[in-house]
Structure formats: C-alpha cells, structure tokens
Amino acid sequence: MEASTAKVISIIALGLGSFVTGMAPACISHSARQRHPLFISCLLCFGGGVLLATSLTHMLPEAREKLPQYTELLLCAGFFLVYIVDEIVHIFNGTNEHPQSPVVQRNYGTVEQSLLERRSNDDEMRDKCCGDAGSPTMCHISHTEPCNKSSSGVIGLLCALFVHSLLEGLAIGLQETASQVLLLLGAVASHKYVVGFCLGAELCASAPGRLCAHIVCVALFSGGSVAGIAVGAVLDNVNVLKDSVAVPIMQALAAGTLLYVTVSEVLPRERARWHERKHGAGMVQFIAVAVGFAIMYLLTMYLDHDAE
C-alpha cells in the first residue's frame, strides 16, 4: 500500500468516524433523557474527565516537548483568555437586575414563643443544605448552575478541539510510509472518537434542540483532522511549520481553553444539578469523571507512545 492511499484511508476514517461519534449523542431521544437523567449527567461527567485528561496529559506534554520554558504560562493564558471573553460577553448580555434579599423580621415575645420559634428554626436548618441562604455553614458545592446565556464556553471548546485535530492531522499527513500513517491513524482515532462523543454530549447539554448548530460544530471538529492530513500530504514545506514555535503555542493555549471549559462549566454545572436531587449522585459523577480521565490517560500513554 502506498502512503498516499493510507492517507486517503485516514481522511475517511477520521472524518467520517469522528462525525458519527459526535452525532451519536444527538440521536438519544428527549424522552430517554428524561427517563435517565443521572445517566446523561454521568456521560457528561465522563466527557469532563476525558477533556481534563486531554488538556493535562496529552496536549500539555506535547507542547512542553518543543517549548518547555513557557508551556505552563501559555496554558494559563489560554485559561484566562476564555475567562475574559466569557466575562465580556456577560457584560453585554447580562442584566442589572438583582433579586432583593428578604428582610429578616425579629419578633420579640414571651419565652414560650421564643422557644417555639427556635425549635421551628432548628427544624428548618436541618432540612436546609449547608449551602442554602440562611444556613450558618459553608457548602462545598454551589447550588446555582453556571450561566448558560453565553456560548463562549462551547466556542472555546470547539476552537481548542479543532486546533488539536488540525495538528494531529498534520502529523499524519507528514508521514512518508504507509505503515507509519496507519500506526499514527490508530493512535489518533482511538482518542479522537472518544473526544468526539464527549463533544456531542456537551453540545446536547449546552444547546438542546439545536440540531443544525450541532451538525456544524461536529463537522468543524471532524474537518480539523481532514484538513491537517490534506495540508500535510500536499505541501512539502510543512515541516517548517511543524517545527516552528507556533505549534506548541497553539497546543498550550488550546489546553488552557479545555481546562477552563471543564473545571468552570461542565463539572460545576452537573454537580449543581444533582447536589440535592439524589443522595450519592455526586459520588457516581466522580466515578464517571475518574473513568473518563483514566481511559483517556491510558490511550494517550500507550497508543501514542507506540505510534512514536
């Protein structure tokens, strides 16, 4: 088999396969999501673990190989970049209305009234979670989901994954033999399909019912690797771009973007939704995050190293 044939196979496998896996969550019916909400939340937490591992154990080490001195700084820059964009969007799209806090009225009466009121207040405190208003203790989980008026998180996630897919496709397109192309294809496809499914699940949660936007986002994600392979196969002077400092800079910035989306939007949203709905749901979500992180880490450590 010639290298060009192997690259065509790679384009079809990565482009079509990642598109199918990205669209798979959209095929889950609304009634099924309503019947199994905790399962859907665990899928999103699994995706959060995959994105976290992609950022810290896959993209960050690749950037550190070529730019060891400033990699962590660029990671933070990518994190703060999405942060400031998110806040700017909220400034223009937010409202200035704030709910008025209720005024606490104190009643002074007889001793019997004070004892009855104290007893009823104690019962209310037991029923309240420690994070509710009026509770004297601190809760480790916010009861309010992150604001979903801004789409900066989804845009940042899509841009980061597109850049990463483009660079991976570029690496495949620069291979000179068919065996090298197919070996690297297996390594890239093993985690690209998983990330594609997680992207589709996150799109379903962030923009439910918007099928056209879902298709466009998944198509962009799938087209990143296709474009990278095509550019690497057509141009002979891409080695200059591959060895340039721009590649690790883009990798580190994309890693910071994924980190922000994971720890500031995906995981806080799912934890807030289930904090008071079902006892023990938080532990199930943690297991889903850990499993997603472990699977992505193993795929990165073993398959990518074998390809190298």
Side-chain angles (χ1 to χ4, degrees), residues 52 204 216 281 293:
L52 188 63
C204 289
V216 171
F293 186 94

Side-chain angles (χ1 to χ4, degrees), residues 53-286:
T54 302
S55 172
L56 298 179
T57 68
H58 182 52
M59 300 173 70
L60 185 62
E62 287 184 352
R64 189 184 290 116
E65 290 179 359
K66 298 179 180 178
L67 195 65
Q69 188 174 1
Y70 301 104
T71 303
E72 287 76 12
L73 181 61
L74 290 170
L75 173 83
C76 297
F79 184 95
F80 287 118
L81 179 62
V82 186
Y83 192 171
I84 189 62
V85 170
D86 200 11
E87 292 302 323
I88 291 174
V89 172
H90 278 291
I91 289 176
F92 291 99
N93 292 342
T95 60
N96 294 324
E97 299 178 359
H98 299 283
Q100 298 294 330
S101 58
V103 180
V104 179
Q105 300 289 341
R106 291 187 177 271
N107 296 323
Y108 299 95
T110 62
V111 176
E112 290 80 1
Q113 289 175 339
S114 299
L115 291 175
L116 290 174
E117 290 173 358
R118 183 180 302 174
R119 187 174 303 160
S120 63
N121 289 336
D122 291 340
D123 293 337
E124 291 177 1
M125 286 297 180
R126 288 193 201 97
D127 295 335
K128 286 183 179 181
C129 177
C130 53
D132 290 333
S135 177
T137 56
M138 181 70 69
C139 183
H140 65 288
I141 298 176
S142 173
H143 289 205
T144 305
E145 297 180 24
C147 179
N148 59 357
K149 292 182 179 180
S150 171
S151 59
S152 58
V154 176
I155 295 175
L157 173 64
L158 181 61
C159 291
L161 293 179
F162 177 81
V163 169
H164 184 57
S165 299
L166 181 66
L167 297 177
E168 285 183 333
L170 189 62
I172 294 176
L174 291 173
Q175 302 302 314
E176 298 178 355
T177 64
S179 59
Q180 292 176 340
V181 172
L182 295 179
L183 188 61
L184 194 56
L185 169 64
V188 172
S190 62
H191 64 262
K192 186 174 177 66
Y193 294 163
V194 178
V195 173
F197 181 84
C198 297
L199 173 63
E202 181 61 25
L203 290 173
C204 289
S206 302
R210 300 174 62 181
L211 183 59
C212 293
H214 190 114
I215 294 175
V216 171
C217 292
V218 174
L220 287 175
F221 168 72
S222 305
S225 295
V226 174
I229 296 173
V231 170
V234 172
L235 300 180
D236 295 331
N237 56 351
V238 184
N239 285 311
V240 178
L241 176 62
K242 183 181 178 182
D243 297 331
S244 69
V245 72
V247 173
I249 290 177
M250 289 188 294
Q251 284 276 46
L253 290 175
T257 300
L258 289 184
L259 183 62
Y260 176 86
V261 173
T262 304
V263 302
S264 299
E265 295 192 5
V266 178
L267 297 183
R269 181 192 63 217
E270 297 307 316
R271 296 183 72 191
R273 286 178 178 177
W274 284 91
H275 181 42
E276 293 181 318
R277 292 177 63 181
K278 186 175 182 179
H279 183 71
M283 184 57 65
V284 177
Q285 290 176 329
F286 167 77

